[in-house]
Structures are given as structure tokens and as C-alpha cells.
Amino acid sequence: MSPSREEKVAEYFNCSIRERAVFEAGIKLAAVYHQFIGTPISASNAESLERAIEECVKVQPFVEDVKVSVDRSRLREKKNEYDYQSLTGEMLDVLVKIKIKNIRVTSRMRYIKDVRYPLMYVEEISED
């Protein structure tokens, strides 16, 4: 019997399943940041943008769940008809759950005031 696509792909990862799950979580968070930062945003489209980001992440491999929240306190009123605001890393709070085999990784990206940076980090790793 020939190996499955996943078995073929797994041969390229010189690491444990746990390490690969962390890697995959990082890829998802980086994709959100680099694909969506700069997107025009306002109070009227914040919710639809949150759902659109979630749906984009959900189609990627190994994603078990994703939650995106935009900090609406950072949104401002338009100054004139030509004015608009762009999404920044300071506005995003993204939670991604990855599952590969029996390993689950919960990772997050959110703005940390103490370091003045939208930090991507691992919140939890568990094993079934």
C-alpha cells in the first residue's frame, strides 16, 4: 500500500509531532498578521472582518478552532469622506487551536502593553 499524502509530507519534518504542531500554530498566526494588517477597517465592518479572518484560517491544515477579535476601542470616527483606518497588530486578538494526531496546541497573538508589541505565543500544549 502506498503512503498517504500526510505520511509523505511528514517525512520532511525532522521534529516531533509536538514540535510540528507548534510550528503549524506559528504559521497560522503569521499568516493572519501578514495577510490582514493594513486592511481597511471601521466599526461597520469589524465583525465581518473578524469572521472573514476566521474562515480563512479554518481552511488551513490542522486547524481545530480559531477566534478573532478586533479591539473596537482602537477604532476612530472618520474625519471626512476620504478618511479610513487600517487594521494594525495592536487591534488584533487571535486564538488558534491546532491538532495533529494526539497533540493540541493553543496559540495566541495579541497586543501586550508591557512590551508594546503584538506578540505571538504558545498558551498551551496538551496530549490526548
Side-chain angles (χ1 to χ4, degrees):
M1 185 158 105
S2 63
S4 71
R5 185 175 184 186
E6 177 51 35
E7 289 170 330
K8 289 177 185 177
V9 169
E11 292 176 14
Y12 290 91
F13 286 87
N14 188 22
C15 60
S16 69
I17 297 299
R18 180 183 172 101
E19 291 164 333
R20 181 164 179 209
V22 170
F23 170 82
E24 292 290 343
I27 292 294
K28 279 40 165 187
L29 291 176
V32 168
Y33 189 89
H34 291 288
Q35 288 175 351
F36 292 98
I37 295 304
T39 301
I41 189 167
S42 68
S44 67
N45 78 343
E47 185 176 353
S48 61
L49 182 57
E50 290 167 339
R51 299 301 77 81
I53 294 170
E54 288 174 356
E55 292 303 314
C56 288
V57 174
K58 285 178 184 176
V59 299
Q60 296 179 58
F62 309 112
V63 175
E64 190 171 56
D65 194 22
V66 59
K67 299 287 183 225
V68 175
S69 177
V70 171
D71 182 353
R72 285 160 177 74
S73 73
R74 294 187 173 270
L75 299 176
R76 59 171 168 72
E77 294 292 317
K78 286 181 75 159
K79 297 174 186 170
N80 58 56
E81 66 182 296
Y82 299 108
D83 183 41
Y84 68 92
Q85 194 170 2
S86 296
L87 184 68
T88 66
E90 290 83 5
M91 296 175 180
L92 282 173
D93 187 342
V94 180
L95 185 76
V96 175
K97 294 183 179 186
I98 300 297
K99 183 174 184 205
I100 302 179
K101 296 187 179 182
N102 64 330
I103 304 293
R104 280 193 169 85
V105 172
T106 301
S107 61
R108 192 166 184 184
M109 174 177 54
R110 68 183 176 95
Y111 185 73
I112 307 295
K113 288 180 185 179
D114 289 349
V115 294
R116 298 183 314 272
Y117 192 76
L119 189 66
M120 298 178 198
Y121 58 95
V122 175
E123 279 196 341
E124 181 179 6
I125 302 174
S126 62
E127 191 170 340
D128 292 344

